[in-house]
Amino acid sequence: MKHAGKASRAGRRVIIWTFVGLLVVTAVGLLAAFVGTFVAAASGILFGLWILLSLFCLWFFRDPNPRVPLGAALILSPAHGKVDIIDEIEEREFVGGRCRRISIFLSVFDVHVQKAPAAGRIAYLRHTPGQFLNAMNRESALRNENVLLGLESGEQPGERLGIRLIAGVIARRIVPWVAVGDEVSRGERLSLIQFGSRVELYFPLTYRVRVEVGNRVCGGETVLVERV
């Protein structure tokens, strides 16, 4: 008979396509459940990592008040860290010639707030773009991005002290908190370098060095140099 079986075939198509739709919905549901379980588990891990990072940042950006020693002849460490260079260099940008240098390496475990080594006026501030070599590399002092602060002493007429803040492979942001013309007191906060870095102090040749290579120093507390 004409058109015989068409209705049953149409019924079978409905059954087949509804079954396919049911399989798709089931697959989507199972996938959503799996993704939801994965996301829930991953979220727990991510929140745990965030808590650890937050605790590390709170610890890393700590800023203890220095116990500033008394004595007009004393020049203090501008940074926390380890002394790894004591030498003579030419520093013509601010000091204006031959001077002594003490270089301090700051690891990620050190306080990264810098302090004024003496009382005086900020007479110079210059940012120099550069590379981001590991701050443990002594060449980083010559080639890395840095900020030079020039301090005209208010304790010794004519004295000029240079503080160079040097970025490292991780520390890529130097944040000075002072500007040219600011008056600072001994041990006052000057700047922040984020993560591992290096800080150098430049001072007159005639001054007596009170530390040795390998010594650990505290910014605003340890006496690096004594005026003579």
Side-chain angles (χ1 to χ4, degrees), residues 78-79 106 112-116 165 188-193 199:
L106 289 67
H112 274 61
V113 175
Q114 289 75 55
K115 311 295 197 307
L165 315 170
E188 183 176 329
R189 293 166 175 85
L190 297 178
S191 57
L192 168 70
I193 310 177
V199 175

Side-chain angles (χ1 to χ4, degrees), residues 25-218:
V25 170
T26 302
V28 170
L30 291 173
L31 180 62
F34 173 76
V35 172
T37 302
F38 176 78
V39 169
S43 297
I45 294 172
L46 291 175
F47 271 105
L49 292 175
W50 177 80
I51 291 172
L52 291 176
L53 176 63
S54 298
L55 292 174
F56 172 76
C57 286
L58 288 173
W59 174 78
F60 177 84
F61 289 100
R62 65 197 185 279
D63 184 13
N65 291 319
R67 298 185 296 272
V68 182
L70 300 176
L74 307 179
I75 297 176
L76 309 180
S77 175
H80 288 65
K82 182 178 180 180
V83 175
D84 63 354
I85 301 174
I86 300 175
D87 61 4
E88 295 184 13
I89 65 166
E90 289 286 334
E91 203 300 295
R92 299 189 179 278
E93 195 172 344
F94 176 73
V95 176
R98 198 76 177 166
C99 63
R100 298 290 294 276
R101 170 178 67 166
I102 295 178
S103 190
I104 302 166
F105 171 70
L106 289 67
S107 76
V108 294
F109 302 107
D110 289 307
V111 173
H112 274 61
V113 175
Q114 289 75 55
K115 311 295 197 307
R121 184 179 72 91
I122 303 298
Y124 189 84
L125 190 158
R126 183 184 178 188
H127 170 258
T128 303
Q131 301 181 40
F132 295 97
L133 301 177
N134 190 326
M136 293 183 70
N137 184 345
R138 296 186 180 190
E139 290 297 312
S140 65
L142 300 174
R143 299 163 60 183
N144 279 19
E145 180 161 332
N146 67 88
V147 170
L148 178 62
L149 297 176
L151 180 66
E152 288 185 344
S153 174
E155 302 169 342
Q156 183 76 12
E159 177 185 79
R160 287 189 159 202
L161 303 174
I163 305 115
R164 192 178 298 277
L165 315 170
I166 302 165
V169 66
I170 299 176
R172 296 186 173 225
R173 190 176 181 205
I174 302 170
V175 187
W177 293 335
V178 292
V180 172
D182 286 355
E183 297 286 339
V184 297
S185 57
R186 179 195 300 265
E188 183 176 329
R189 293 166 175 85
L190 297 178
S191 57
L192 168 70
I193 310 177
Q194 295 183 7
F195 306 106
S197 52
R198 180 176 291 276
V199 175
E200 296 188 336
L201 175 69
Y202 309 131
F203 55 94
L205 292 171
T206 56
Y207 289 7
R208 181 183 300 115
V209 176
R210 293 271 299 270
V211 292
E212 299 178 349
V213 170
N215 287 169
R216 292 201 59 82
V217 295
C218 294

